[in-house]
């Protein structure tokens, strides 16, 4: 199975609600990144959190990292229709030179 | 706009053929990464080049090859194409060689359809 796996696979919410997506991974990491992909387009970097950090904020985004549970969560507050996209976590393995492994993603639909 | 450009946007070809996908990284970025995204396999890392040299290899088939030129643009060559090679191919770039520590900037992708 994959190094990073997002949960749930799909999420549908109303505008204004909060959306929470989770990512679990298997081996130790140096850092974890979250990316967004609008349908059929390139990925856009959202936030990077290092293994010695527990929480980071960027605008309406809040990312937490629990290395003891090998999991991360992405919270989008006050969601908007424009947040509709797929969200991926990307993890490395804690060996220099290893490149990112992307999970299968969470498809978020924000309904107006 | 990430600053990474990819051409062509769409490519339709037949099985057994060979195609070349092109990527220009963001100005100043020395690393280029290639990814394949398909419905059944998700986003798979293929290969990384740093300043003209191959840096890391992922799930790249032997039928596929890549190179990075002195001007830092990169090409991904796909040969003996099969139906299963139909996918979105993304190029990404980053400043340095340590991809795991850096943000990657993705291009808009090339959609390949093999008939």
């Amino acid at each position: 199975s994959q190094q990073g796996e997002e949960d749930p696979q799909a999420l549908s919410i109303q505008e204004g609600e909060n959306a929470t997506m989770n990512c679990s991974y298997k081996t130790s990491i140096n850092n974890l990144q979250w990316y967004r992909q609008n349908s059929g387009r390139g990925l856009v970097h959202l936030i990077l959190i290092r293994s010695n950090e527990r929480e980071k904020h960027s605008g309406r985004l809040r990312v937490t990292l629990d290395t003891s549970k090998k999991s991360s969560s992405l919270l989008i507050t006050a969601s908007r229709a424009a947040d509709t996209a797929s969200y991926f976590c990307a993890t490395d393995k804690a060996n220099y030179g290893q490149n990112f492994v992307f999970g299968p993603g969470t498809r978020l639909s924000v309904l107006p | 706009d990430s600053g990474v450009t990819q051409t062509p946007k769409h490519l339709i070809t037949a099985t057994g053929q060979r195609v070349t996908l092109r990527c220009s990284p963001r100005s100043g970025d020395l690393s280029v990464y290639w990814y394949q995204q398909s419905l059944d396999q998700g986003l798979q890392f293929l290969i990384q080049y740093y300043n003209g040299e191959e840096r890391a290899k992922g799930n790249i088939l032997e039928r596929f090859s890549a190179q990075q030129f002195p001007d830092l643009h990169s090409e991904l060559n796909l040969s003996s194409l099969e139906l299963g090679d139909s996918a979105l191919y993304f190029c990404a770039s980053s400043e340095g060689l340590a991809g795991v520590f850096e943000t990657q900037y993705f291009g808009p992708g090339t959609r390949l359809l093999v008939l």
Side-chain angles (χ1 to χ4, degrees), chain A residues 30-107:
Chain A
N30 293 302
N31 64 41
L32 183 147
Q33 299 194 19
W34 284 91
Y35 286 80
R36 184 188 75 223
Q37 183 182 32
N38 290 87
S39 181
R41 305 186 69 172
L43 278 72
V44 175
H45 175 255
L46 295 177
I47 202 161
L48 179 155
I49 186 165
R50 304 202 183 278
S51 59
N52 61 353
E53 297 175 313
R54 292 297 167 258
E55 188 171 313
K56 283 190 87 168
H57 297 256
S58 177
R60 295 183 294 111
L61 305 181
R62 172 177 167 251
V63 168
T64 61
L65 180 64
D66 187 335
T67 53
S68 67
K69 295 181 180 178
K70 292 187 171 59
S71 68
S72 173
S73 67
L74 169 66
L75 168 67
I76 303 174
T77 59
S79 63
R80 306 167 182 167
D83 295 328
T84 294
S86 291
Y87 291 82
F88 296 86
C89 70
T91 56
D92 67 321
K93 296 181 182 178
N95 295 310
Y96 180 78
Q98 294 291 327
N99 277 282
F100 279 145
V101 177
F102 285 84
T106 291
R107 173 120 189 101

Side-chain angles (χ1 to χ4, degrees), chain A residues 2 30-31 33 35 37 40-45 48 50 88 92-93 95-100 102-104, chain B residues 33 35 37 41 43-45 48 55-57 88 90 97-109 111:
Chain A
Q2 301 188 58
N30 293 302
N31 64 41
Q33 299 194 19
Y35 286 80
Q37 183 182 32
R41 305 186 69 172
L43 278 72
V44 175
H45 175 255
L48 179 155
R50 304 202 183 278
F88 296 86
D92 67 321
K93 296 181 182 178
N95 295 310
Y96 180 78
Q98 294 291 327
N99 277 282
F100 279 145
F102 285 84
Chain B
Y33 311 80
Y35 291 88
Q37 186 177 36
Q41 295 289 329
L43 193 64
Q44 300 280 324
F45 165 69
Q48 177 198 1
R55 178 66 187 173
K57 247 181 176 177
L88 263 172
F90 289 106
L97 60 81
V100 297
F101 296 105
E102 297 182 310
T103 297
Q104 295 186 19
Y105 297 88
F106 280 75
R111 187 175 293 277

